[in-house]
Amino acid sequence: AIIADDLYRLGTVIADGDHSLTLYKPSKSSSDSLKANRKLALKQGQQFKLKTHLISTELTSNAAVLALLNWKDNKHDLSNVLSRVLYIDKSEVVLFLPEVFGALFEIMQNSQKGKDLALEEGNEQAFHCLAHVISLLVDERTAATHGKILNNYVEEIFDFKSVHVPLTACLMNSLEDPVQNKKKVQALFKALSYIFKFMHKSLELTH
């Protein structure tokens, strides 16, 4: 019998979970296409069930992560791309931490060039996505483990010389009206120590 399904769709791997795959009769002619074989499906109910769980730092089943990593191809929809970052699962963030941080810092750093309105408008949003991601990782239950990952990123991977400028500006803007931005400010305070570490590291890199 033949089992056919797409494990890789539109740049993402099939989502984790249970899947039912239909069994098909093999064609007598090796030249017959799979499309033709599907017309010869075995009687209803004959299916193969499996559960998938992806573990990879190269492939993702999360469309929001993929959209963020390819943000340069999605500038026209940058606001939507960034809004979806708030719903990315913590485990997925950990797997793609350098890439997620890198994309957010790139957006913020490039927004300072003043040549792209979409990037300028996405600057504040990227900053709050950054604060949100950090706040997920400094949760009391996982702070010990994820703190090491964050510190390693700051010391060994972070390489954005001018990002301290938008970080400082966004931080000041967020604190101007903490009541109106209550939810964002709560995440920001959780992430504040690492925001300062990124600012300090960025300044160090300019010298």
Side-chain angles (χ1 to χ4, degrees):
I2 296 173
I3 300 172
D5 196 13
D6 297 323
L7 297 179
Y8 195 70
R9 302 168 182 171
L10 298 176
T12 63
V13 178
I14 190 171
D16 292 346
D18 297 317
H19 305 279
S20 295
L21 307 179
T22 304
L23 297 172
Y24 298 94
K25 288 181 180 178
S27 171
K28 292 181 180 179
S29 172
S30 59
S31 63
D32 284 351
S33 67
L34 180 59
K35 184 176 180 180
N37 288 334
R38 287 184 174 180
K39 295 179 181 179
L40 301 173
L42 300 183
K43 63 181 180 180
Q44 187 175 7
Q46 290 191 289
Q47 293 185 322
F48 183 81
K49 295 184 180 295
L50 58 82
K51 175 176 287 195
T52 61
H53 180 69
L54 176 69
I55 300 176
S56 173
T57 57
E58 298 294 331
L59 301 173
T60 178
S61 59
N62 192 304
V65 171
L66 184 68
L68 177 62
L69 301 190
N70 294 324
W71 68 269
K72 292 179 182 177
D73 299 324
N74 298 293
K75 288 183 183 180
H76 63 285
D77 197 28
L78 188 58
S79 179
N80 181 51
V81 168
L82 291 171
S83 67
R84 294 166 68 189
V85 173
L86 303 179
Y87 302 98
I88 298 175
D89 185 77
K90 183 192 295 186
S91 61
E92 199 80 4
V93 168
V94 172
L95 283 174
F96 292 90
L97 188 65
E99 293 82 4
V100 168
F101 275 164
L104 294 174
F105 285 132
E106 275 189 329
I107 292 170
M108 297 183 70
Q109 190 161 270
N110 281 287
S111 71
Q112 301 303 297
K113 297 179 180 179
K115 296 180 180 180
D116 195 314
L117 182 59
L119 286 177
E120 289 182 38
E121 294 177 346
N123 183 38
E124 292 271 353
Q125 200 175 356
F127 174 77
H128 288 294
C129 286
L130 177 69
H132 169 76
V133 168
I134 296 172
S135 69
L136 286 180
L137 300 180
V138 297
D139 180 89
E140 291 181 0
R141 294 167 296 179
T142 57
T145 301
H146 294 154
K148 294 177 182 178
I149 297 173
L150 283 167
N151 288 329
N152 180 71
Y153 179 83
V154 174
E155 297 300 326
E156 304 295 335
I157 302 175
F158 178 85
D159 186 27
F160 295 90
K161 294 181 179 180
S162 61
V163 82
H164 61 278
V165 177
L167 282 175
T168 303
C170 290
L171 177 60
M172 297 304 295
N173 290 339
S174 297
L175 297 178
E176 281 184 0
D177 193 353
V179 176
Q180 184 177 345
N181 300 316
K182 184 178 179 180
K183 190 172 182 180
K184 291 179 179 178
V185 170
Q186 286 177 339
L188 178 56
F189 279 135
K190 287 184 180 180
L192 202 54
S193 63
Y194 282 98
I195 297 291
F196 284 131
K197 286 182 180 181
F198 286 133
M199 291 165 64
H200 182 261
K201 185 69 174 182
S202 178
L203 283 166
E204 279 189 343
L205 292 172
T206 62
H207 299 299

